[in-house]
Amino acid sequence: TLRYDDRGFNGYDGNINDCTTDDFKNDALAGINMLRDRFDKVGVIGHSEGGTIALMLAAEKQADFIISLAGMAVSGAETLVWQNRLALVAAGLPEDAVDTYCRLIGDAFDAKNNGMPMPDAARYDLPDALKQNYLAVIAQLQMPYMSRFISLDMRPLLGEITCPVMALNGVKDMQVEHELNLGAIRKGLPANEKHVIESIDGLNHLFQHCTTGATSEYRDIEETFAPEVLEKIIDWLLRP
C-alpha cells in the first residue's frame, strides 16, 4: 500500500487555500502512476472526500478497483444542505426556520454554480443569527475549494465506471447520508457482479461503533475503525 501526507502537511510549501478536490485527485493519480511501474493492478481506497476521489479516478479509467468509504456521490451542494439541516435541528431551532435557512443556502449554492448574484438574506424570514451564518457561507463560497466542492456531483460520471467497486457507509453517518449516496451509486453504476454496496448498522462517518453518530462523539470513541468492516474489505480484495 501507498499512503502519503495530504497537502498542507510535512514539507508542503504551497497555499492549501488555493487547492480543490481536483488537485487532491491528481495527487492520488500521481501515486497510482508511480505504483504502475511496479504492479500490474492498482486500486484506490478513499474515505469521505477520498471516496469521492476514488469514484472520479474510476470514471477516468485510472484504477483497476476502488473502495469508497463514506464517499459522497450526490452533489456537494446537496450534502452541505443536509448537514446544515441536521445541525440546526440538533440545535433545537424551529422547523420553519430550518426549512427557510436550508432553502436560502440551497439557493446560494445554485446561484454560485450558475454564476448568478448571491440571494439577499433580507428576503428570507430568518432570525438575525442565521442571517449572520449566511454571511459566513457567502465568504466560504469565495474560496476555490468550496466553490468547486458545491459543484461536485458523481452521478453523471458513475456510468463511466467499469472496474469493481466496493462502497460502504455507516447507517449513523451524520456527514454523508448513507441511503442517498449509496442509492445513487447503485443506480448509476453499470452492472457488475463484483460490486459491493452496503450500509452498515451502528457505525458513524469514521466507521466507529457509536451512539448517535454526531461528530462530537468522535473524540470520545476509543475504537479506530470497526474490525468487521476491515474483514469485509479484506474478503472483497481477496476474491478472484
Side-chain angles (χ1 to χ4, degrees), residues 36-52:
R36 288 213 182 276
D37 292 336
R38 297 177 56 188
F39 301 99
D40 294 330
K41 289 187 176 182
V42 180
V44 176
I45 179 169
H47 173 258
S48 196
E49 184 180 21
T52 302

Side-chain angles (χ1 to χ4, degrees), residues 107-118 141-142 147 150:
D107 291 345
F109 297 154
D110 288 342
K112 182 67 175 179
N113 283 334
N114 291 290
M116 303 295 288
M118 290 290 103
L141 288 176
Q142 308 314 307
S147 178
I150 63 169

Side-chain angles (χ1 to χ4, degrees), residues 91-167:
L93 271 72
E95 183 178 351
D96 59 342
V98 172
D99 289 343
T100 302
Y101 182 77
C102 288
R103 178 163 54 87
L104 171 58
I105 61 171
D107 291 345
F109 297 154
D110 288 342
K112 182 67 175 179
N113 283 334
N114 291 290
M116 303 295 288
M118 290 290 103
D120 183 356
R123 297 179 179 273
Y124 297 73
D125 184 17
L126 285 170
D128 288 342
L130 289 182
K131 290 179 180 178
Q132 287 298 119
N133 279 4
Y134 174 63
L135 294 178
V137 170
I138 291 178
Q140 290 174 345
L141 288 176
Q142 308 314 307
M143 305 293 290
Y145 177 85
M146 188 60 70
S147 178
R148 174 60 175 130
F149 183 82
I150 63 169
S151 72
L152 282 174
D153 191 337
M154 293 301 101
R155 288 170 292 194
L157 303 178
L158 292 172
E160 303 297 320
I161 296 176
T162 55
C163 70
V165 173
M166 171 178 256

